[in-house]
Amino acid sequence: MISPACKIEVPERLTVSHEALIKNGLADRCVSVPVREATDADILLVHSEEYLEAVKKTPYMTLEDLKEFTLQYGDVYFHPNIYHCAKLAAGAALQLVDSVMTGKVRNGMALVRPPGHHSMSSAANGFCVFNNVAIAAQYAKQKYGLKRVLIVDWDVHHGQGVQYCFEDDPSVLYFSWHRYEHQKFWPQLRESDYDSVGKEKGAGFNINVPWNKVGMKNSDYLSVFCHVLLPVAYEFCPDLVLVCAGFDSAIGDPEGEMCASPDIFAHLTHLLMNLAGGKLCAVLEGGYNLTSLPQSVCQTVQTLLGDPAPRPANLDGPCESALESLHCVRSAHRQYWSCLKHAGIAVLSDHFSNEQRRQQCEQHDDRNLSIFRKTVLVQFSSKESEEQKCKYYIPVCLKKVIDASGFLQAVLGLLLPLGYEYDPSLVLLVRMPDSGVCDSVWQQLTGLLQGLWSVILSFQEGEKERVAPTASALLGDAAPSLGQLHSPLPEDVEVLERLRHRLQGDWKLLQTTGEFTTAASHINITHNLTSMDLEKTISTM
Ligand code: Q9C
Ligand code: ZN
């Protein structure tokens, strides 16, 4: 062994993960794709010739020379075998891209090491030799003529190598959340903060979410997905989704020190599976706790196979530090994404005081005690309706329900977080004949909700032709892509923002800024719902 040998990026990471897939009956349900070595041409899609030539020499170096070679980089360890392993890791990612792009499989995960997202054009870094996912993105663009690739990096470290590679490239949208602690945490880079949004033509196509505290939980992760990543991803409309799937962001990891449970990865995976017509390739990055790593891998693979996600526990809303990050990221990107155009704007006029609102809500609840505490009704319509006064009845009055971007924004920023917090046993989806919502939007909605909750669909008389596309979404087919979305109507965005502001005291996952929490912390309406859990239903129209 080379000294200092890496204590955490160890071969057991792969063996325990693979054994867990076998033990849970998941390996048998997967198609195994043979690996290949990435070629020089593949590696040169991202790395410099000088760097490749230098790494090529490492298998022949003396241990002393290897140690010397290693010292020029940060936090990386070269073993005589690592060049071979690194070629296989990048090659595995490319084999997966080929399998998905040719339709051999719908999606997949590559279990590889060494990881890749820290390595740069001419430098190894952070246990990474070749940037597996960056190479895969360039390869997919080149070989399949893809116009837009989304890279979601849920590893707990910032994949600065990926950021540098695509910083000025608008065809690759890179999203990363990472432990940052105001630049105190490795790799301690100024450019990992939320204000690094991309350069030149790529401005807006690099999204950094810094975690400035440890201990982030399921709610924090889901909030960022609902209020940043998903709206932007749908607006971007990728042809392929690549995931830098590091599981050091799960509980128990010695590097991350976060508190998200392994089953959150089922949800993160599910929420990405209806983008790009379902074409998703996850590639392992970090993850060093040999208990939570295999559990997280299994959650991811099980969801990719189409199994429903387990209910996530303890969704008690994002913490103050996460809200601050969320607010900063949304504000930094509002000039680039129409779905964020209103982010960070002060609360819209609200003529009810919190106290008045609480009383109104209670009165309303008393009148409807039997219905509305067991059921949340979210009603999309283009008709003006009386102002919402109860947390369980939510009329969403969009000027144009028919408009995919406004409707989708309501689904991602309102319905999903509300659903997560309410945790319904059943979702009843009712599509009115005159709703104007087109089939593909309906399929997206069905696909997103299905797999998270049990969904019952209700069709009206004369809607027979609507059944087939919806049924395919229910059966687990990925919904067709909606195409690049134009800006939602400003009036509709305003309606949604107003609604979110109004409801965020009751539904914490609707929050996107920190200030509100402090202002409204005294209104905490206690509803004991536990005895009625089984009857909880979300209805949407
Ligand atoms: N010397 C990945 O998770 N740790 N890489 C530095 C201070 C380096 C992590 C600790 C962590 C690299 C792929
Ligand atoms: Zn990591």
Side-chain angles (χ1 to χ4, degrees):
M1 275 308 263
I2 310 300
S3 177
C6 186
K7 296 253 165 35
I8 56 174
E9 206 292 280
V10 291
E12 288 73 22
R13 297 177 59 232
L14 289 190
T15 51
V16 296
S17 298
H18 191 238
E19 276 159 17
L21 288 172
I22 295 170
K23 210 183 82 209
N24 287 295
L26 296 169
D28 274 346
R29 296 168 57 194
C30 293
V31 176
S32 290
V33 177
V35 299
R36 66 171 173 90
E37 289 187 353
T39 64
D40 284 7
D42 298 329
I43 294 164
L44 292 171
L45 287 169
V46 164
H47 298 279
S48 70
E49 219 159 327
E50 306 85 271
Y51 175 65
L52 173 58
E53 291 310 315
V55 176
K56 269 186 192 177
K57 297 200 179 88
T58 58
Y60 311 104
M61 288 182 185
T62 64
L63 294 191
E64 205 154 307
D65 287 348
L66 262 185
K67 211 167 155 186
E68 176 91 19
F69 180 76
T70 294
L71 283 177
Q72 62 183 311
Y73 306 118
D75 293 278
V76 67
Y77 307 87
F78 276 84
H79 180 278
N81 280 343
I82 204 166
Y83 170 55
H84 182 229
C85 293
K87 279 192 292 187
L88 290 175
L94 302 183
Q95 289 287 80
L96 177 56
V97 165
D98 279 333
S99 304
V100 167
M101 288 313 301
T102 57
K104 185 176 177 221
V105 295
R106 183 191 301 185
N107 56 36
M109 171 149 202
L111 288 178
V112 301
R113 54 183 294 273
H117 71 155
H118 296 302
S119 77
M120 294 160 264
S121 168
S122 294
N125 183 265
F127 313 155
C128 304
V129 176
F130 298 136
N131 202 314
N132 309 320
V133 168
I135 293 170
Q138 294 289 35
Y139 177 88
K141 280 201 311 177
Q142 190 188 68
K143 183 160 177 187
Y144 299 100
L146 304 187
K147 297 220 161 53
R148 289 176 302 278
V149 177
L150 169 65
I151 300 178
V152 177
D153 189 337
W154 71 45
D155 186 283
V156 85
H157 301 96
H158 181 217
Q160 83 278 37
V162 184
Q163 172 167 316
Y164 298 151
C165 188
F166 300 111
E167 231 159 7
D168 56 4
D169 183 350
S171 70
V172 177
L173 171 55
Y174 177 61
F175 167 94
S176 173
W177 64 34
H178 35 269
R179 180 172 172 189
Y180 189 59
E181 294 174 297
H182 301 288
Q183 215 182 314
K184 296 256 157 41
F185 188 70
W186 188 91
Q188 297 176 303
L189 301 169
R190 173 67 187 85
E191 61 268 31
S192 305
D193 213 349
Y194 64 84
D195 56 354
S196 289
V197 297
K199 293 178 173 160
E200 291 151 41
K201 281 195 177 126
F205 296 89
N206 190 85
I207 304 182
N208 284 334
V209 180
W211 300 124
N212 288 316
K213 292 240 157 76
V214 295
M216 292 297 164
K217 300 192 286 215
N218 293 352
S219 289
D220 303 302
Y221 288 8
L222 283 176
S223 284
V224 167
F225 261 53
C226 290
H227 298 301
V228 178
L229 176 60
L230 293 175
V232 170
Y234 272 93
E235 189 172 332
F236 179 63
C237 189
D239 304 309
L240 174 67
V241 178
L242 302 177
V243 180
C244 287
F247 298 102
D248 40 17
S249 44
I251 191 162
D253 192 276
E255 281 280 319
E257 297 183 49
M258 297 301 177
C259 291
S261 57
D263 57 19
I264 201 61
F265 295 103
H267 291 268
L268 305 185
T269 303
H270 177 88
L271 293 170
L272 298 174
M273 276 171 67
N274 283 293
L275 290 158
K279 293 192 290 296
L280 186 155
C281 302
V283 181
L284 183 68
E285 296 280 359
Y288 308 102
N289 177 309
L290 296 179
T291 307
S292 79
L293 168 67
Q295 290 173 353
S296 303
V297 167
C298 286
Q299 290 291 338
T300 304
V301 170
Q302 188 160 6
T303 306
L304 290 175
L305 285 165
D307 287 2
R311 295 176 164 214
N314 308 323
L315 294 180
D316 48 5
C319 69
E320 208 49 44
S321 173
L323 281 172
E324 195 181 315
S325 300
L326 190 62
H327 174 82
C328 291
V329 177
R330 283 166 52 93
S331 302
H333 279 275
R334 45 180 293 226
Q335 56 177 310
Y336 305 109
W337 299 98
S338 63
C339 59
L340 301 178
K341 220 180 257 171
H342 285 237
I345 292 182
V347 184
L348 302 148
S349 73
D350 182 351
H351 54 269
F352 290 114
S353 73
N354 287 331
E355 183 57 23
Q356 277 174 320
R357 205 144 28 104
R358 191 181 59 81
Q359 285 168 3
Q360 293 235 354
C361 187
E362 282 180 346
Q363 282 166 16
H364 198 90
D365 278 0
D366 287 339
R367 288 201 303 273
N368 299 285
L369 196 67
S370 57
I371 312 167
F372 279 130
R373 286 188 188 176
K374 297 175 188 170
T375 307
V376 168
L377 178 65
V378 183
Q379 184 172 30
F380 294 96
S381 74
S382 46
K383 294 186 199 73
E384 280 297 321
S385 128
E386 74 172 298
E387 296 228 316
Q388 167 273 337
K389 295 181 188 70
C390 167
K391 69 183 273 199
Y392 300 106
Y393 172 58
I394 302 160
V396 185
C397 307
L398 299 172
K399 196 147 196 181
K400 273 167 70 187
V401 172
I402 202 162
D403 172 60
S405 50
F407 185 77
L408 203 68
Q409 184 143 356
V411 169
L412 300 173
L414 202 77
L415 186 58
L416 264 186
L418 204 137
Y420 270 114
E421 191 161 347
Y422 184 57
D423 189 20
S425 308
L426 189 66
V427 175
L428 178 63
L429 268 174
V430 183
R431 183 179 184 179
M432 301 309 268
D434 57 351
S435 74
V437 176
C438 66
D439 281 341
S440 55
V441 171
W442 186 249
Q443 276 170 287
Q444 280 289 345
L445 176 61
T446 314
L448 271 169
L449 301 183
Q450 168 78 8
L452 300 178
W453 304 292
S454 305
V455 177
I456 291 187
L457 291 137
S458 150
F459 292 94
Q460 308 297 303
E461 198 70 39
E463 288 278 276
K464 287 218 177 66
E465 69 279 10
R466 306 296 197 197
V467 176
T470 311
S472 98
L474 272 184
L475 288 169
D477 289 346
S481 158
L482 296 176
Q484 268 183 299
L485 300 171
H486 60 89
S487 303
L489 290 180
E491 302 95 290
D492 285 349
V493 178
E494 200 180 309
V495 165
L496 291 171
E497 285 299 293
R498 190 188 290 273
L499 205 49
R500 264 196 327 100
H501 277 293
R502 199 179 281 287
L503 291 163
Q504 66 187 351
D506 291 320
W507 301 102
K508 298 210 163 50
L509 281 175
L510 296 181
Q511 296 174 354
T512 54
T513 54
E515 301 102 30
F516 185 90
T517 337
T518 5
S521 54
H522 64 281
I523 43 159
N524 189 359
I525 306 163
T526 47
H527 290 298
N528 189 350
L529 287 167
T530 43
S531 62
M532 296 182 241
D533 269 353
L534 281 174
E535 294 162 281
K536 284 160 74 179
T537 306
I538 284 194
S539 298
T540 68
M541 295 191 187

